[in-house]
Short mmCIF file of all heavy atoms in Angstrom, two decimals:
data_model
loop_
_atom_site.label_atom_id
_atom_site.label_comp_id
_atom_site.label_asym_id
_atom_site.label_seq_id
_atom_site.Cartn_x
_atom_site.Cartn_y
_atom_site.Cartn_z
N SER A 79 1.05 -6.10 15.69
CA SER A 79 1.24 -6.99 16.83
C SER A 79 2.72 -7.20 17.13
O SER A 79 3.08 -7.70 18.19
CB SER A 79 0.60 -8.35 16.54
OG SER A 79 1.27 -8.98 15.45
N GLY A 80 3.57 -6.85 16.17
CA GLY A 80 5.00 -7.03 16.35
C GLY A 80 5.46 -8.45 16.08
O GLY A 80 6.62 -8.79 16.25
N ILE A 81 4.55 -9.33 15.63
CA ILE A 81 4.91 -10.71 15.35
C ILE A 81 5.41 -10.81 13.92
O ILE A 81 4.75 -10.38 12.98
CB ILE A 81 3.69 -11.64 15.54
CG1 ILE A 81 3.20 -11.55 16.99
CG2 ILE A 81 4.03 -13.07 15.17
CD1 ILE A 81 1.92 -12.32 17.23
N GLU A 82 6.58 -11.39 13.76
CA GLU A 82 7.17 -11.53 12.44
C GLU A 82 6.42 -12.58 11.65
O GLU A 82 6.13 -13.66 12.14
CB GLU A 82 8.65 -11.93 12.57
CG GLU A 82 9.44 -11.75 11.29
CD GLU A 82 9.73 -10.29 10.99
OE1 GLU A 82 9.66 -9.48 11.92
OE2 GLU A 82 10.01 -9.99 9.83
N GLN A 83 6.08 -12.27 10.39
CA GLN A 83 5.38 -13.19 9.53
C GLN A 83 6.36 -13.82 8.55
O GLN A 83 7.41 -13.27 8.25
CB GLN A 83 4.27 -12.45 8.77
CG GLN A 83 3.27 -11.74 9.68
CD GLN A 83 2.44 -12.68 10.50
OE1 GLN A 83 2.07 -13.75 10.03
NE2 GLN A 83 2.14 -12.30 11.73
N THR A 84 5.97 -14.96 8.01
CA THR A 84 6.85 -15.65 7.08
C THR A 84 6.27 -15.74 5.68
O THR A 84 6.97 -16.13 4.75
CB THR A 84 7.13 -17.08 7.59
OG1 THR A 84 5.89 -17.78 7.73
CG2 THR A 84 7.87 -17.04 8.91
N GLU A 85 4.99 -15.40 5.50
CA GLU A 85 4.39 -15.47 4.18
C GLU A 85 4.81 -14.27 3.34
O GLU A 85 5.16 -13.22 3.86
CB GLU A 85 2.86 -15.49 4.29
CG GLU A 85 2.29 -16.70 5.00
CD GLU A 85 2.32 -16.55 6.50
OE1 GLU A 85 2.71 -15.45 6.97
OE2 GLU A 85 1.97 -17.51 7.20
N PRO A 86 4.76 -14.41 1.99
CA PRO A 86 5.06 -13.27 1.12
C PRO A 86 4.06 -12.15 1.35
O PRO A 86 2.92 -12.38 1.72
CB PRO A 86 4.92 -13.86 -0.29
CG PRO A 86 5.04 -15.33 -0.12
CD PRO A 86 4.47 -15.64 1.23
N MET A 87 4.52 -10.93 1.10
CA MET A 87 3.62 -9.79 1.23
C MET A 87 2.62 -9.79 0.08
O MET A 87 2.99 -10.03 -1.07
CB MET A 87 4.42 -8.49 1.24
CG MET A 87 3.58 -7.26 1.47
SD MET A 87 4.59 -5.76 1.62
CE MET A 87 5.29 -5.99 3.26
N HIS A 88 1.37 -9.52 0.37
CA HIS A 88 0.32 -9.49 -0.64
C HIS A 88 0.02 -8.03 -0.99
O HIS A 88 -0.66 -7.33 -0.26
CB HIS A 88 -0.93 -10.19 -0.12
CG HIS A 88 -0.72 -11.63 0.22
ND1 HIS A 88 -0.71 -12.62 -0.74
CD2 HIS A 88 -0.48 -12.23 1.40
CE1 HIS A 88 -0.49 -13.79 -0.15
NE2 HIS A 88 -0.34 -13.58 1.14
N TYR A 89 0.55 -7.60 -2.13
CA TYR A 89 0.37 -6.21 -2.52
C TYR A 89 -1.01 -5.97 -3.13
O TYR A 89 -1.60 -6.85 -3.73
CB TYR A 89 1.44 -5.79 -3.54
CG TYR A 89 2.81 -5.67 -2.95
CD1 TYR A 89 3.69 -6.74 -2.98
CD2 TYR A 89 3.21 -4.49 -2.34
CE1 TYR A 89 4.96 -6.62 -2.43
CE2 TYR A 89 4.48 -4.37 -1.79
CZ TYR A 89 5.34 -5.45 -1.84
OH TYR A 89 6.59 -5.33 -1.29
N ARG A 90 -1.49 -4.75 -2.94
CA ARG A 90 -2.72 -4.31 -3.59
C ARG A 90 -2.44 -2.99 -4.29
O ARG A 90 -1.52 -2.26 -3.92
CB ARG A 90 -3.85 -4.15 -2.57
CG ARG A 90 -4.20 -5.44 -1.85
CD ARG A 90 -5.52 -5.31 -1.08
NE ARG A 90 -5.50 -4.30 -0.03
CZ ARG A 90 -5.08 -4.54 1.23
NH1 ARG A 90 -4.61 -5.73 1.57
NH2 ARG A 90 -5.12 -3.57 2.14
N TYR A 91 -3.26 -2.67 -5.29
CA TYR A 91 -3.03 -1.47 -6.08
C TYR A 91 -4.34 -0.71 -6.29
O TYR A 91 -5.42 -1.28 -6.21
CB TYR A 91 -2.44 -1.84 -7.45
CG TYR A 91 -1.18 -2.65 -7.36
CD1 TYR A 91 -1.23 -4.04 -7.48
CD2 TYR A 91 0.04 -2.05 -7.12
CE1 TYR A 91 -0.07 -4.80 -7.38
CE2 TYR A 91 1.19 -2.80 -7.02
CZ TYR A 91 1.14 -4.17 -7.14
OH TYR A 91 2.28 -4.92 -7.03
N ILE A 92 -4.21 0.58 -6.57
CA ILE A 92 -5.33 1.40 -6.96
C ILE A 92 -5.26 1.58 -8.47
O ILE A 92 -4.32 2.20 -8.98
CB ILE A 92 -5.29 2.77 -6.25
CG1 ILE A 92 -5.19 2.59 -4.72
CG2 ILE A 92 -6.51 3.59 -6.63
CD1 ILE A 92 -6.30 1.78 -4.11
N GLU A 93 -6.23 1.04 -9.17
CA GLU A 93 -6.16 0.96 -10.63
C GLU A 93 -6.06 2.32 -11.30
O GLU A 93 -5.30 2.50 -12.25
CB GLU A 93 -7.38 0.20 -11.16
CG GLU A 93 -7.30 -1.31 -10.98
CD GLU A 93 -6.19 -1.93 -11.82
OE1 GLU A 93 -5.85 -1.39 -12.87
OE2 GLU A 93 -5.67 -2.97 -11.38
N ASP A 94 -6.83 3.29 -10.85
CA ASP A 94 -6.86 4.60 -11.53
C ASP A 94 -5.83 5.58 -10.99
O ASP A 94 -5.79 6.74 -11.41
CB ASP A 94 -8.25 5.22 -11.41
CG ASP A 94 -9.31 4.40 -12.14
OD1 ASP A 94 -8.95 3.74 -13.12
OD2 ASP A 94 -10.48 4.42 -11.71
N CYS A 95 -5.01 5.14 -10.07
CA CYS A 95 -3.98 6.02 -9.50
C CYS A 95 -2.89 6.28 -10.54
O CYS A 95 -2.47 5.35 -11.24
CB CYS A 95 -3.39 5.35 -8.26
SG CYS A 95 -1.97 6.22 -7.56
N PRO A 96 -2.39 7.52 -10.65
CA PRO A 96 -1.34 7.81 -11.62
C PRO A 96 0.03 7.26 -11.24
O PRO A 96 0.94 7.27 -12.06
CB PRO A 96 -1.32 9.34 -11.66
CG PRO A 96 -1.83 9.77 -10.33
CD PRO A 96 -2.86 8.74 -9.96
N PHE A 97 0.20 6.79 -10.00
CA PHE A 97 1.48 6.25 -9.59
C PHE A 97 1.73 4.90 -10.25
O PHE A 97 0.81 4.08 -10.35
CB PHE A 97 1.54 6.05 -8.08
CG PHE A 97 1.38 7.30 -7.26
CD1 PHE A 97 0.92 7.22 -5.96
CD2 PHE A 97 1.69 8.54 -7.77
CE1 PHE A 97 0.75 8.36 -5.19
CE2 PHE A 97 1.54 9.69 -7.02
CZ PHE A 97 1.07 9.59 -5.72
N PRO A 98 2.96 4.64 -10.67
CA PRO A 98 3.28 3.29 -11.16
C PRO A 98 3.19 2.27 -10.04
O PRO A 98 3.21 2.62 -8.85
CB PRO A 98 4.72 3.44 -11.67
CG PRO A 98 5.28 4.58 -10.90
CD PRO A 98 4.13 5.53 -10.68
N LYS A 99 3.11 1.00 -10.40
CA LYS A 99 2.97 -0.05 -9.39
C LYS A 99 4.15 -0.06 -8.42
O LYS A 99 3.99 -0.35 -7.24
CB LYS A 99 2.83 -1.42 -10.06
CG LYS A 99 1.43 -1.67 -10.59
CD LYS A 99 1.26 -3.12 -11.02
CE LYS A 99 -0.20 -3.41 -11.38
NZ LYS A 99 -0.39 -4.83 -11.75
N LYS A 100 5.35 0.26 -8.91
CA LYS A 100 6.52 0.26 -8.04
C LYS A 100 6.32 1.26 -6.89
O LYS A 100 6.63 0.96 -5.73
CB LYS A 100 7.77 0.62 -8.83
CG LYS A 100 9.04 0.65 -7.99
CD LYS A 100 10.25 0.98 -8.84
CE LYS A 100 11.52 1.03 -8.01
NZ LYS A 100 12.71 1.36 -8.83
N THR A 101 5.81 2.44 -7.20
CA THR A 101 5.57 3.45 -6.17
C THR A 101 4.45 3.01 -5.24
O THR A 101 4.55 3.17 -4.01
CB THR A 101 5.21 4.80 -6.81
OG1 THR A 101 6.30 5.24 -7.63
CG2 THR A 101 4.94 5.85 -5.75
N GLN A 102 3.40 2.44 -5.79
CA GLN A 102 2.30 1.96 -4.95
C GLN A 102 2.77 0.86 -4.01
O GLN A 102 2.32 0.79 -2.87
CB GLN A 102 1.14 1.46 -5.82
CG GLN A 102 0.43 2.57 -6.59
CD GLN A 102 -0.95 2.15 -7.05
OE1 GLN A 102 -1.77 1.67 -6.27
NE2 GLN A 102 -1.21 2.31 -8.35
N ARG A 103 3.67 0.00 -4.49
CA ARG A 103 4.21 -1.04 -3.60
C ARG A 103 4.95 -0.44 -2.43
O ARG A 103 4.83 -0.90 -1.29
CB ARG A 103 5.14 -1.96 -4.39
CG ARG A 103 4.45 -2.91 -5.34
CD ARG A 103 5.47 -3.64 -6.17
NE ARG A 103 4.82 -4.41 -7.23
CZ ARG A 103 5.42 -4.77 -8.34
NH1 ARG A 103 6.68 -4.43 -8.56
NH2 ARG A 103 4.77 -5.49 -9.24
N LYS A 104 5.74 0.58 -2.72
CA LYS A 104 6.49 1.23 -1.65
C LYS A 104 5.55 1.87 -0.63
O LYS A 104 5.77 1.79 0.58
CB LYS A 104 7.43 2.30 -2.23
CG LYS A 104 8.55 1.74 -3.08
CD LYS A 104 9.53 0.92 -2.27
CE LYS A 104 10.73 0.51 -3.09
NZ LYS A 104 11.67 -0.33 -2.32
N ILE A 105 4.49 2.49 -1.11
CA ILE A 105 3.49 3.06 -0.19
C ILE A 105 2.81 1.95 0.59
O ILE A 105 2.58 2.09 1.81
CB ILE A 105 2.47 3.90 -0.98
CG1 ILE A 105 3.16 5.13 -1.58
CG2 ILE A 105 1.31 4.34 -0.07
CD1 ILE A 105 2.27 5.95 -2.51
N PHE A 106 2.51 0.86 -0.07
CA PHE A 106 1.89 -0.28 0.61
C PHE A 106 2.79 -0.79 1.73
O PHE A 106 2.33 -1.11 2.83
CB PHE A 106 1.60 -1.41 -0.38
CG PHE A 106 0.79 -2.54 0.19
CD1 PHE A 106 -0.59 -2.55 0.05
CD2 PHE A 106 1.39 -3.57 0.88
CE1 PHE A 106 -1.35 -3.59 0.58
CE2 PHE A 106 0.64 -4.61 1.41
CZ PHE A 106 -0.74 -4.61 1.26
N GLU A 107 4.10 -0.85 1.47
CA GLU A 107 5.05 -1.32 2.48
C GLU A 107 5.07 -0.38 3.69
O GLU A 107 5.14 -0.83 4.84
CB GLU A 107 6.45 -1.43 1.86
CG GLU A 107 6.58 -2.56 0.86
CD GLU A 107 7.77 -2.38 -0.07
OE1 GLU A 107 8.62 -1.51 0.22
OE2 GLU A 107 7.85 -3.10 -1.07
N ILE A 108 5.02 0.92 3.43
CA ILE A 108 4.98 1.90 4.53
C ILE A 108 3.73 1.68 5.37
O ILE A 108 3.78 1.67 6.60
CB ILE A 108 5.04 3.33 3.97
CG1 ILE A 108 6.40 3.60 3.32
CG2 ILE A 108 4.78 4.36 5.08
CD1 ILE A 108 6.45 4.88 2.49
N CYS A 109 2.60 1.52 4.70
CA CYS A 109 1.33 1.29 5.40
C CYS A 109 1.37 -0.01 6.19
O CYS A 109 0.92 -0.07 7.35
CB CYS A 109 0.17 1.26 4.41
SG CYS A 109 -0.13 2.83 3.58
N ALA A 110 1.91 -1.05 5.58
CA ALA A 110 1.98 -2.35 6.25
C ALA A 110 2.86 -2.26 7.49
O ALA A 110 2.55 -2.85 8.53
CB ALA A 110 2.53 -3.41 5.29
N GLY A 111 3.95 -1.52 7.39
CA GLY A 111 4.85 -1.39 8.53
C GLY A 111 4.19 -0.70 9.71
O GLY A 111 4.52 -0.96 10.87
N ALA A 112 3.26 0.21 9.41
CA ALA A 112 2.54 0.92 10.48
C ALA A 112 1.20 0.26 10.80
O ALA A 112 0.52 0.67 11.73
CB ALA A 112 2.30 2.37 10.05
N THR A 113 0.83 -0.75 10.03
CA THR A 113 -0.47 -1.41 10.13
C THR A 113 -1.61 -0.40 10.03
O THR A 113 -2.51 -0.36 10.85
CB THR A 113 -0.60 -2.27 11.40
OG1 THR A 113 0.66 -2.87 11.68
CG2 THR A 113 -1.63 -3.37 11.21
N VAL A 114 -1.52 0.42 9.00
CA VAL A 114 -2.57 1.37 8.66
C VAL A 114 -3.05 1.01 7.25
O VAL A 114 -2.26 0.65 6.39
CB VAL A 114 -2.05 2.82 8.69
CG1 VAL A 114 -3.10 3.79 8.19
CG2 VAL A 114 -1.61 3.18 10.10
N SER A 115 -4.34 1.08 7.02
CA SER A 115 -4.93 0.66 5.76
C SER A 115 -4.31 1.39 4.56
O SER A 115 -4.29 2.62 4.50
CB SER A 115 -6.44 0.92 5.78
OG SER A 115 -6.97 0.83 4.48
N PHE A 116 -3.83 0.61 3.60
CA PHE A 116 -3.30 1.16 2.35
C PHE A 116 -4.36 1.96 1.62
O PHE A 116 -4.12 3.08 1.14
CB PHE A 116 -2.80 0.01 1.48
CG PHE A 116 -2.51 0.37 0.05
CD1 PHE A 116 -1.43 1.17 -0.28
CD2 PHE A 116 -3.33 -0.12 -0.97
CE1 PHE A 116 -1.16 1.49 -1.61
CE2 PHE A 116 -3.07 0.20 -2.30
CZ PHE A 116 -1.99 0.99 -2.62
N GLU A 117 -5.58 1.40 1.53
CA GLU A 117 -6.65 2.09 0.82
C GLU A 117 -7.02 3.41 1.49
O GLU A 117 -7.32 4.39 0.82
CB GLU A 117 -7.87 1.18 0.71
CG GLU A 117 -7.76 0.05 -0.30
CD GLU A 117 -6.93 -1.12 0.19
OE1 GLU A 117 -6.61 -1.18 1.40
OE2 GLU A 117 -6.59 -2.00 -0.64
N LEU A 118 -7.00 3.42 2.81
CA LEU A 118 -7.31 4.66 3.53
C LEU A 118 -6.24 5.72 3.27
O LEU A 118 -6.55 6.89 3.03
CB LEU A 118 -7.42 4.38 5.02
CG LEU A 118 -7.89 5.56 5.89
CD1 LEU A 118 -9.30 5.97 5.52
CD2 LEU A 118 -7.81 5.21 7.37
N VAL A 119 -4.98 5.33 3.29
CA VAL A 119 -3.89 6.27 3.04
C VAL A 119 -3.98 6.81 1.61
O VAL A 119 -3.81 8.02 1.37
CB VAL A 119 -2.53 5.61 3.29
CG1 VAL A 119 -1.39 6.47 2.76
CG2 VAL A 119 -2.35 5.36 4.79
N MET A 120 -4.27 5.94 0.66
CA MET A 120 -4.40 6.40 -0.73
C MET A 120 -5.58 7.36 -0.88
O MET A 120 -5.53 8.31 -1.66
CB MET A 120 -4.55 5.21 -1.66
CG MET A 120 -3.31 4.33 -1.73
SD MET A 120 -1.84 5.17 -2.39
CE MET A 120 -2.19 5.05 -4.15
N ALA A 121 -6.64 7.13 -0.11
CA ALA A 121 -7.77 8.05 -0.14
C ALA A 121 -7.39 9.41 0.45
O ALA A 121 -7.83 10.46 -0.05
CB ALA A 121 -8.95 7.45 0.63
N VAL A 122 -6.58 9.41 1.51
CA VAL A 122 -6.09 10.66 2.08
C VAL A 122 -5.23 11.40 1.05
O VAL A 122 -5.36 12.62 0.86
CB VAL A 122 -5.29 10.40 3.37
CG1 VAL A 122 -4.58 11.68 3.82
CG2 VAL A 122 -6.21 9.90 4.48
N ILE A 123 -4.34 10.67 0.38
CA ILE A 123 -3.48 11.29 -0.62
C ILE A 123 -4.31 11.92 -1.73
O ILE A 123 -4.04 13.06 -2.16
CB ILE A 123 -2.50 10.25 -1.20
CG1 ILE A 123 -1.49 9.82 -0.13
CG2 ILE A 123 -1.78 10.81 -2.43
CD1 ILE A 123 -0.60 8.67 -0.55
N GLU A 124 -5.31 11.20 -2.20
CA GLU A 124 -6.16 11.76 -3.27
C GLU A 124 -6.86 13.02 -2.80
O GLU A 124 -6.92 14.02 -3.54
CB GLU A 124 -7.18 10.72 -3.73
CG GLU A 124 -8.07 11.25 -4.84
CD GLU A 124 -8.96 10.21 -5.46
OE1 GLU A 124 -8.77 9.01 -5.16
OE2 GLU A 124 -9.85 10.58 -6.25
N ARG A 125 -7.38 13.00 -1.58
CA ARG A 125 -8.10 14.18 -1.06
C ARG A 125 -7.15 15.34 -0.82
O ARG A 125 -7.46 16.50 -1.12
CB ARG A 125 -8.82 13.81 0.24
CG ARG A 125 -9.49 14.98 0.97
CD ARG A 125 -10.59 15.63 0.14
NE ARG A 125 -11.08 16.85 0.76
CZ ARG A 125 -12.27 17.00 1.31
NH1 ARG A 125 -13.11 15.98 1.33
NH2 ARG A 125 -12.64 18.15 1.84
N GLU A 126 -5.97 15.07 -0.28
CA GLU A 126 -5.05 16.15 0.10
C GLU A 126 -4.36 16.79 -1.09
O GLU A 126 -4.19 18.01 -1.14
CB GLU A 126 -3.99 15.60 1.07
CG GLU A 126 -4.52 15.23 2.45
CD GLU A 126 -4.82 16.44 3.32
OE1 GLU A 126 -4.49 17.57 2.91
OE2 GLU A 126 -5.38 16.25 4.42
#
């Protein structure tokens, strides 16, 4: 929506993913910036 939020970012993780949490956070931030589902992107990564 382009509206700036003031609350802290709520990170989520994929438990069985080999990436460390730091990397998953960075991916989550990329997804959040584009407003695309983190879980969907991680599913694409796993499939690809």
